């Protein structure tokens, strides 16, 4: 069994309506998702807004209610575990998208970083202080700055505080939800490099959620592509980028702007081809509701959502 | 739209139920009953007990509550201990007086707040804005009852421009134009005193809304279309800024109730607020219960009205 | 020689912070030609949006110096009514966030119609509606008649951006300013919107100023590129030249810090330090110098100028001649046996 295993995860949100606010229908934000993370690797979850990628990440850690399905962490079931002090809470941490709003502006760095430690360990003031300073040093911030407030830091530094907080309890898995989307390219580079460094140092596993395929390709070993709450394709980074099989993945990969201005015409033509294919073969890849079919393996690691008939 | 309104009205039912229950429990906890003050102390206590049983004093509480609510629905609030007349009759004219006072205050509040708020928001950080916000802070800091006393002293007693008590000149024929004018004349000073003080929250709220809306992207888009400043304000900023003011309307009514209690007492204006204070000091609990209930209902209705107004003007709510 | 639509000369736009003015756009000179896309690239705080807003006259409280010539006529400091005749008719703007760029209380039809109404009083109501429907069709919105009556919140982000574009092009402006037009959109929607902007350019022969931080978008769209740092232009070149031979240290650093979908890199380049805030901009000497401290101070000019290296390729300061990445330094040091 894998390190983290998600089995047929479903997260449905009720739509209330009518005179008495009855539940009329459900938004199937995550609709039957299964995947496995390998220890020490980075797994990328890709999709456009509304694909359910963030909801999946939040459901794993218990921030969203799980409608059905199971989540196993190191062979123990953790589905719907909401107790703040459960063991897995220590082992799984989250990094959020917006470094400007995910840190409480009224708290000092020491309190922000020590907060998770305080929940799980009894440390003296002095021990705590030393621990926080070590963490700050580890994420490349000045250990002297423990008494500062978040607004005194730049965006990249704030994201580092978020990371310091996430790694404070020496977790095994970090769920990173769009960790660099709000950052400028040079700051983004800083955070991505740093995430790679601590991965080796602390033997971390990442579930990396992003809409940016360039970042995903740079960071991830395995990738899952989501569309409307379902998987359309899963495979190694190489398989997804060089040999996409599902028409949605093809379209997504084709839409990435190419960095070479001389390939403009080529790209335009390529995109037009993919688009034609998308229009012609839409019904082969999606059911009547416009949703993806179940995943079928086409190699050991490469799975594609195709209808039964193949 | 009507679906929203119906749902909103249905939500009111539990609110009214809780309110009535709360007031009923409070009334029960107060000393005395309908017989207090009515009965000669010489009457045999056994006879009083009999009367109490007859009136249902010892019935289970839910039966008493049911008969009380039943009475209220029919407009029967019981008898006033002091005035020995039905509470409904006592309240009758006063409710009308309070209603007109509230309407006048609301109109004056908005007449003052909207132009000042708009000026202050549009020309923020200029001298004009500083003057207006300065006024608002003074309004914020001044207790209503002191301000009302000062107004009464200056305009009522010193300058004698306005009458100092009552709601109408005695001896006027109801229904005539003079009667109406006299009523209007009487409520002008109390309404103005209250409006001048309570308007500050609306001014500041409107000012902040306008400053906020001014910086929105769609205002930039309007400018980039080539819209003139006045068009930008009239077409884009005001409607978006006045929207939350409509939502504020309900709170305005609640505030008004609090204010009217002071104002009516100071100006000797025979309304519900004055009645409430009077009946409290006279320990006339059946009247206290009735007025409190009516004030509660007014607040709930105020919230209802704001929600419905908001749903009328905001398409985002209208659709749902 | 390409026909100049817009000539910006020594533009300086300053904002007041406390009692001093600080220039967010500092001595920028640029031309925008007919039928070309000029991309302006840089990170947040470099002044690229301030430049776009200056062209449109959207800064209400900034101090503007220098000239912006539209077909030879200076539009800096002209009267509001003159400016309003220009905006929306000859110049249109597309904003970054389509979710906030539309008035939530106005139907789509009226918002686009307003742009027509303001510049063409002769159109009757029905003619105007007809034109709006045509515009909606032109920007690829299906069921235009229906969308005409809808409110912004009823449309998706991509559709709203199309509405914003329809508003900007309602009077077929010669200059279109697009401020991060696809940053808030999903990648498949982004490529559709970029295609739409390209098609419109071909259609109307307009000059487009494209403000972006995304080098991929630049590669796909631009004819010429201006790189901005700390309020100044540090490099301008034809797009292929800039991508193949970037010279300024900032340009080269930017290229190296982007994860590239078509290339394997283990580590990305990190630019040292942070983009200085408006009050802390170094105003003397090379503004990028503090972020490349390993480059010797003598490599910089005292008063860095834009130098024309090749026809059409301008680079600010002389430090580019001596620039190398710190990784290269380490190799060199190892080579010399210094630890």
């Amino acid at each position: 069994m894998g390190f983290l295993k998600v089995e047929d995860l479903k997260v449905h949100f009720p739509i209330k309506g009518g005179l008495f606010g009855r539940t009329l229908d459900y938004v199937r934000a995550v609709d039957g998702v299964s995947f496995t993370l390998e220890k020490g690797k980075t797994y990328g979850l890709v999709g456009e807004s509304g694909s359910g990628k963030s909801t999946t990440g939040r459901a794993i850690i218990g921030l969203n209610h799980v409608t059905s399905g199971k989540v196993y962490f190191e062979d123990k079931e953790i589905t719907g575990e909401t107790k703040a002090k459960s063991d897995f809470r220590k082992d799984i941490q989250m990094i959020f998208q917006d470094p400007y709003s995910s840190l409480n502006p009224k708290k000092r760095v020491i309190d922000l970083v020590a907060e998770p430690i305080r929940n799980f360990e009894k440390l003296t003031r002095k021990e705590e202080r030393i621990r926080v300073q070590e963490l700050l040093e580890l994420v490349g911030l000045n250990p002297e700055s423990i008494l500062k407030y978040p607004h005194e830091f730049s965006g990249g530094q704030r994201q580092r505080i978020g990371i310091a907080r996430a790694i404070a309890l020496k977790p095994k898995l970090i769920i990173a939800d769009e960790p660099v989307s709000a950052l400028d390219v040079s700051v983004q580079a800083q955070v991505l490099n740093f995430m790679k460094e601590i991965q080796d140092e602390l033997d971390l596993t990442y579930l990396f959620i992003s809409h940016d395929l360039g970042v995903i390709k740079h960071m991830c070993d395995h990738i899952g592509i989501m569309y409307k709450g379902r998987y359309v394709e899963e495979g190694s980074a190489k398989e997804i980028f060089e040999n996409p099989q599902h028409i949605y993945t093809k379209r997504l990969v084709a839409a990435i702007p190419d960095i070479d201005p001389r390939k403009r015409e080529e790209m335009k033509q390529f995109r037009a081809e993919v688009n034609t294919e998308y229009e012609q073969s839409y019904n082969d890849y999606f059911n009547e509701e416009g949703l993806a079919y179940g995943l079928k393996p086409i190699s050991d690691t490469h799975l594609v959502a195709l209808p039964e008939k193949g | 739209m009507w679906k929203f309104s119906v749902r909103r009205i249905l939500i009111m039912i539990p609110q009214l139920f809780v309110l009535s229950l709360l007031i009923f429990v409070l009334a029960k906890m107060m000393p005395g009953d309908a017989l207090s003050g009515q009965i000669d102390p010489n009457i045999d206590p056994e006879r009083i007990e009999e009367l109490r049983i007859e009136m249902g004093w010892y019935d289970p509480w839910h039966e008493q509550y049911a008969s009380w609510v039943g009475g209220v629905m029919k407009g029967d609030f019981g008898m006033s201990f002091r005035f020995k007349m039905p509470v409904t009759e006592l309240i009758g004219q006063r409710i009308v007086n309070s209603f007109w006072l509230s309407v006048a205050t609301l109109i004056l509040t908005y007449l003052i707040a909207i132009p000042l708020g708009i000026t202050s928001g549009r020309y923020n950080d200029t001298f004009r804005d500083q003057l207006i916000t300065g006024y608002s802070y003074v309004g914020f800091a001044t207790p209503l009852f002191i301000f009302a006393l000062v107004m009464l002293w200056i305009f009522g007693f010193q300058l004698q421009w306005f009458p100092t008590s009552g709601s109408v000149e005695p001896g006027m024929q109801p229904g005539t134009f003079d009667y109406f004018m006299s009523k209007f004349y009487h409520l002008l000073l109390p309404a103005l005193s209250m409006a001048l003080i309570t308007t500050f929250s609306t001014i500041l709220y409107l000012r902040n809304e306008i400053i906020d809306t001014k910086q929105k992207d769609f205002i930039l888009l309007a400018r980039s279309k080539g819209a003139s400043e006045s068009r930008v304000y009239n077409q884009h900023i005001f409607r978006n800024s006045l929207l939350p003011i409509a939502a504020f309307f309900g709170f305005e009514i609640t505030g008004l109730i609090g204010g009217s209690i002071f104002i009516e007492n100071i100006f000797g204006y025979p309304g519900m607020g004055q009645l409430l204070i009077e009946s409290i000091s006279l320990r006339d609990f059946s009247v206290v219960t009735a007025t409190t209930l009516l004030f509660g209902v007014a607040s709930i209705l105020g919230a209802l009205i704001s929600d419905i107004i908001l749903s009328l003007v905001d398409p985002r709510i209208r659709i749902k | 020689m390409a026909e100049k639509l817009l000539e910006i000369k020594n533009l300086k736009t300053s904002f007041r912070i406390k009692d001093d003015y600080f220039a967010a756009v500092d001595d920028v000179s640029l031309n925008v030609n007919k039928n070309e896309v000029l991309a302006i690239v840089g990170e947040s705080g470099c002044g690229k949006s301030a430049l776009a807003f200056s062209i449109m006259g959207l800064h209400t409280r900034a101090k503007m110096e220098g000239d912006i010539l539209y077909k030879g006529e200076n539009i800096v400091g002209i009267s509001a009514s003159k400016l309003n005749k220009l905006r929306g008719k000859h110049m249109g703007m597309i904003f970054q966030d389509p979710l906030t760029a539309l008035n939530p209380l106005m139907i789509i039809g009226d918002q686009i119609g307003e742009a027509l109404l303001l510049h063409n009083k002769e159109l009757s109501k029905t003619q105007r509606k007809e034109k709006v429907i045509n515009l909606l069709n032109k920007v690829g919105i299906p069921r235009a008649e229906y969308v005409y009556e809808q409110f912004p919140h009823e449309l998706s982000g991509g559709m709203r951006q199309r509405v914003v574009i329809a508003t900007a092009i309602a009077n077929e402006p010669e200059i279109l300013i697009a401020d991060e037009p696809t940053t808030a959109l999903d990648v498949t929607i982004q490529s559709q919107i970029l295609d739409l902007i390209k098609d419109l350019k071909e259609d109307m022969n307009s000059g487009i100023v494209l403000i972006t931080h995304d080098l991929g978008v630049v590669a796909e769209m631009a004819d010429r590129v201006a790189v901005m740092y700390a309020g100044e232009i540090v490099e301008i070149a034809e797009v292929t030249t800039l991508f193949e031979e970037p010279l300024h240290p900032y340009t080269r650093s930017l290229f190296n810090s982007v994860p590239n979908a078509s290339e394997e890199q283990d580590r990305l380049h990190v630019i040292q330090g942070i983009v200085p805030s408006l009050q802390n901009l170094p105003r003397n000497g090379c503004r990028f110098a503090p972020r490349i401290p390993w480059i010797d101070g003598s490599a910089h000019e005292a008063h860095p100028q834009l130098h024309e290296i090749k026809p059409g390729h301008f680079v600010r300061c002389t430090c580019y001649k001596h620039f190398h990445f710190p990784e290269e330094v380490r190799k060199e040091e190892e080579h010399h046996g210094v630890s």
Side-chain angles (χ1 to χ4, degrees), chain B residues 38-272:
Chain B
Q38 275 204 11
I39 299 162
D40 198 297
N42 297 327
I43 291 181
D44 183 11
E46 278 177 31
R47 173 66 193 143
I48 297 178
E49 276 306 290
E50 266 172 47
L51 274 171
R52 283 197 168 142
I53 291 167
E54 221 172 89
M55 293 176 65
W57 183 253
Y58 295 107
D59 287 352
W61 71 270
H62 57 269
E63 280 180 27
Q64 289 187 41
Y65 172 73
S67 79
W68 176 68
V69 168
V72 167
M73 300 262 230
K74 280 180 265 167
D76 175 14
F77 289 97
M79 296 291 281
S80 157
F81 305 166
R82 295 285 160 173
F83 300 102
K84 308 208 171 43
M85 61 192 282
V87 175
T88 317
E89 234 170 84
L90 196 64
I91 288 175
Q93 188 52 43
R94 285 165 179 264
I95 237 181
V96 177
N97 284 343
S98 278
F99 175 76
W100 287 116
L101 178 64
S102 308
V103 169
T105 310
L106 274 178
I107 293 174
L108 286 172
T109 304
Y110 287 120
L111 276 182
I112 300 167
I114 292 176
L116 290 188
I118 285 175
T119 313
S120 183
R122 179 165 178 176
Y123 305 103
N124 66 311
D125 300 331
T126 61
F127 182 64
R128 270 187 272 188
D129 172 43
Q130 281 163 356
L131 266 182
I132 293 167
T133 44
Y135 158 65
S136 307
Y137 291 135
V138 170
F140 178 70
T142 312
L144 176 60
F145 62 95
I146 289 181
F147 181 72
L149 281 172
V150 171
M151 290 286 279
L152 183 65
W153 183 71
I154 296 175
F155 295 103
F157 290 103
Q158 293 308 115
L159 299 172
Q160 305 206 337
W161 288 358
F162 292 99
T164 52
S165 78
S167 74
V168 68
E169 201 86 3
M172 286 278 187
Q173 196 61 38
T176 60
F177 180 71
D178 285 343
Y179 180 82
F180 168 79
M181 282 312 287
S182 166
K183 283 226 129 182
F184 180 69
Y185 188 40
H186 275 80
L187 61 75
L188 205 55
L189 189 61
L192 191 64
S193 307
M194 189 143 73
L196 280 173
I197 289 294
T198 53
T199 198
F200 74 88
S201 57
T202 318
I203 294 178
L204 289 180
Y205 201 63
L206 186 55
R207 172 182 186 266
N208 292 341
E209 276 305 323
I210 288 178
I211 292 173
D212 210 42
T213 313
K214 261 190 348 192
Q215 292 156 350
K216 295 254 166 80
D217 282 357
F218 66 84
I219 299 304
L220 293 174
L221 181 70
R223 291 217 172 93
S224 77
K225 284 185 219 174
S228 64
E229 270 316 270
S230 61
R231 194 183 164 88
V232 166
Y233 275 90
N234 295 332
Q235 293 284 318
H236 298 279
I237 295 181
F238 293 152
R239 248 188 94 191
N240 280 283
S241 316
L242 286 170
L243 203 68
I245 299 294
F248 211 55
F249 183 73
F251 298 100
E252 210 75 73
I253 288 185
T254 322
L256 222 53
I257 291 167
S260 70
I261 294 173
F262 290 116
I263 288 289
E264 289 179 4
N265 276 289
I266 290 164
F267 288 92
Y269 186 85
M272 295 290 285

Side-chain angles (χ1 to χ4, degrees), chain A residues 124-167:
Chain A
T124 63
R125 286 259 155 219
K126 203 176 160 203
E127 284 170 334
E128 186 184 280
R129 195 189 173 92
I130 292 170
R131 180 79 165 274
V132 171
Q133 285 181 326
E134 280 170 6
L135 283 165
L136 289 185
E137 215 162 8
L138 188 66
V139 298
L141 292 173
N142 186 350
E144 305 294 303
S145 53
I146 49 168
L147 295 179
K148 287 190 180 171
Y149 288 89
H151 69 87
E152 297 174 68
F153 295 90
S154 69
Q157 287 173 323
R158 264 184 260 200
Q159 197 57 298
R160 280 160 184 257
I161 298 173
I163 295 174
R165 204 175 125 94
I167 60 175

Side-chain angles (χ1 to χ4, degrees), chain C residues 49-300:
Chain C
S49 283
L51 174 61
F53 278 44
S54 301
I55 299 172
M56 290 296 289
L58 289 173
H59 292 302
T60 42
R61 292 186 181 186
K63 189 169 83 179
M64 281 172 62
E65 296 157 276
D67 302 324
I68 301 174
L69 305 176
Y70 167 71
K71 291 187 166 173
E73 188 196 347
N74 195 356
I75 58 171
V76 172
I78 57 168
S79 70
S81 63
K82 272 190 181 163
L83 188 61
N84 283 332
K85 288 212 176 79
L86 218 60
R87 292 200 286 212
K89 184 159 175 63
H90 301 289
M91 301 194 294
M93 183 151 178
I94 305 169
F95 294 86
Q96 174 172 359
D97 188 355
L99 301 186
T100 56
L102 294 169
N103 186 338
L105 302 183
M106 228 184 197
I107 60 166
I108 300 298
D110 287 348
Q111 307 211 28
I112 303 174
E114 190 180 21
L116 294 168
L117 175 78
L118 288 166
H119 299 286
N120 195 345
K121 304 264 189 289
E122 274 117 65
L123 282 181
S124 72
K125 243 184 158 175
T126 41
Q127 282 174 315
R128 207 161 63 220
K129 180 165 179 175
E130 206 177 295
K131 280 199 99 170
V132 171
I133 304 266
N134 281 339
L135 281 165
L136 287 171
N137 286 327
K138 198 169 179 178
V139 295
I141 292 180
R143 297 188 301 155
E145 301 265 347
Y146 177 73
V147 170
Y148 184 93
E149 303 285 345
Q150 283 191 302
F151 285 98
H153 69 271
E154 298 171 85
L155 301 179
S156 71
M159 283 298 145
R160 284 191 229 186
Q161 193 62 305
R162 287 172 194 266
V163 172
V164 174
I165 294 174
T167 312
I169 62 161
N171 295 306
E172 309 212 342
E174 284 156 298
I175 297 164
L176 196 59
I177 294 169
D179 185 9
E180 304 265 8
T182 57
T183 306
L185 304 174
D186 277 323
V187 56
T188 50
I189 313 291
Q190 162 168 300
S191 77
Q192 291 166 14
I193 297 288
L194 293 179
D195 284 345
L196 173 64
I197 295 177
K198 264 188 264 181
D199 291 347
L200 291 172
K201 185 199 87 171
E202 297 300 320
D203 223 38
M204 308 186 302
N205 263 327
S206 323
I208 295 183
V209 180
L210 176 73
I211 313 279
T212 182
H213 69 277
D214 188 333
L215 292 168
V217 171
V218 176
E220 295 262 338
M221 297 287 290
D223 298 311
R224 274 193 310 141
V225 189
V227 182
M228 275 186 88
Y229 180 78
E232 290 180 329
I233 288 174
V234 294
E235 188 162 0
I236 306 187
E238 297 279 325
V239 66
T240 41
T241 316
L242 191 92
F243 276 71
E244 280 158 18
E245 272 178 80
L247 288 177
H248 194 275
Y250 181 61
T251 318
R252 291 178 60 190
S253 305
L254 268 188
F255 274 109
N256 272 11
S257 59
V258 186
N260 190 340
S262 57
E263 237 174 80
E264 291 289 336
Q265 314 129 282
D266 187 42
R267 283 179 56 89
L268 301 167
H269 173 67
V270 172
I271 306 177
Q272 282 191 16
I274 52 166
V275 178
S277 65
L278 202 49
Q279 290 124 294
N280 301 324
L281 281 189
R283 303 273 171 193
N284 295 316
C286 179
R287 297 186 179 188
F288 196 61
R291 305 193 64 182
I292 44 172
W294 63 92
I295 301 297
D296 193 67
S298 63
H300 301 287

